[in-house]
Amino acid sequence: MDQCDPINIPANPNHRLKPEMSPKTEEERHKMKKVPYRECIGSLMYLMVMTRPDIAFSINQAAAYVSNPGEKHWTAVNEILAYLRRTIHHGICYGDCPNSTLLGYTDADWAGELEKRKSSTGVLFLFNGGPVSYGSRRQRATALSTRDAEFYAVGESLLLEIGFDVGRVSIRCDSKCALALTNGEESKTEKYIDVKYFFHPRATGAGEYSGHPHPWKGTTGRHIYQTITSSDV
């Protein structure tokens, strides 16, 4: 890591990781066994959970190939390390916000996974000026539209445990269609949504959270659910 050239972003948006990049011959597999891929992913995950939500999406993508990584997968991990070298002093700061209300953001990368066309969920909760809960994960259900992917992301955000009572939670999403489903305005005409995610209307009705249309601000949040370009930095 000390000898790498620092870069501005944790992943190349033009090079999505694929299963086809895994070793195909015994010689290639033997070569990759000498690479500390699994150990490096584990260390990066620890760093992500503790202080670096901006590498969540990149780690999520690279970790999918930990059982059989190829050279291009390893290159992607090294790009994360090169990004960390440039941003080594970045971290999480609290206390810079006069309003200590918990605020959540959700978004989705629709069908970004190339093998099975699964979507990715990005979730970020801010409290007292800094993130207290965040994550990037592939959605279990296969979203058939951007609206569905955004709706699933809102639903998965409700499953996160914050660890303390914060009252009514405001969740921001940049899809008005997804929010309409979340608030129960369209679920009567979407039976598969109503059956699979019926707890949304019950949660809003019980006063546990409220959904609001709002785009992600800046680039830190977007790191969680998609790859950004150098021009975004």
Side-chain angles (χ1 to χ4, degrees):
M1 183 174 176
D2 293 335
Q3 300 176 357
C4 66
D5 295 326
I7 59 177
N8 293 325
I9 54 178
N12 189 333
N14 298 318
H15 296 94
R16 286 294 186 99
L17 300 183
K18 306 175 183 179
E20 293 78 15
M21 297 176 178
S22 295
K24 296 179 174 59
T25 65
E26 285 299 325
E27 182 180 355
E28 292 176 346
R29 279 188 282 270
H30 180 73
K31 181 179 179 180
M32 289 306 301
K33 284 182 179 180
K34 300 178 181 179
V35 174
Y37 191 93
R38 185 183 298 272
E39 293 79 4
C40 193
I41 289 293
S43 297
L44 289 172
M45 281 187 169
Y46 178 81
L47 180 62
M48 175 196 72
V49 171
M50 293 294 104
T51 61
R52 297 302 298 264
D54 51 334
I55 63 173
F57 181 78
S58 303
I59 294 298
N60 178 277
Q61 300 300 302
Y65 304 98
V66 71
S67 61
N68 189 28
E71 289 189 15
K72 292 185 178 179
H73 298 141
W74 179 236
T75 298
V77 173
N78 279 274
E79 288 176 350
I80 300 174
L81 295 174
Y83 168 75
L84 290 174
R85 186 186 180 192
R86 177 175 288 276
T87 60
I88 193 170
H89 297 296
H90 289 194
I92 297 176
C93 296
Y94 298 99
D96 191 29
C97 181
N99 186 1
S100 59
T101 302
L102 185 68
L103 177 63
Y105 288 88
T106 70
D107 214 324
D109 177 30
W110 179 49
E113 194 268 320
L114 300 179
E115 183 181 14
K116 298 181 180 179
R117 283 303 179 184
K118 294 287 187 178
S119 302
S120 295
T121 289
V123 179
L124 172 68
F125 281 94
L126 303 176
F127 188 77
N128 198 24
V132 293
S133 183
Y134 48 84
S136 173
R137 61 181 62 88
R138 290 181 182 175
Q139 296 178 356
R140 294 183 178 180
T142 301
L144 301 181
S145 66
T146 303
R147 180 203 62 175
D148 290 358
E150 299 274 5
F151 177 73
Y152 296 159
V154 174
E156 292 177 357
S157 73
L158 302 180
L159 302 179
L160 291 178
E161 295 185 4
I162 303 302
F164 51 90
D165 185 13
V166 293
R168 188 177 179 85
V169 179
S170 176
I171 297 180
R172 308 299 177 93
C173 174
D174 64 358
S175 172
K176 292 184 178 180
C177 293
L179 286 175
L181 284 174
T182 300
N183 295 325
E185 298 172 13
E186 295 186 12
S187 61
K188 291 182 179 180
T189 60
E190 302 289 353
K191 289 185 178 181
Y192 73 100
I193 291 289
D194 197 30
V195 171
K196 190 171 182 60
Y197 289 94
F198 65 91
F199 61 88
H200 282 71
R202 291 199 300 184
T204 53
E208 297 172 7
Y209 82 96
S210 59
H212 304 278
H214 198 283
W216 287 64
K217 289 186 176 181
T219 58
T220 301
R222 288 175 54 202
H223 276 298
I224 296 178
Y225 71 94
Q226 68 175 195
T227 304
I228 67 171
T229 63
S230 298
S231 61
D232 294 321
V233 178

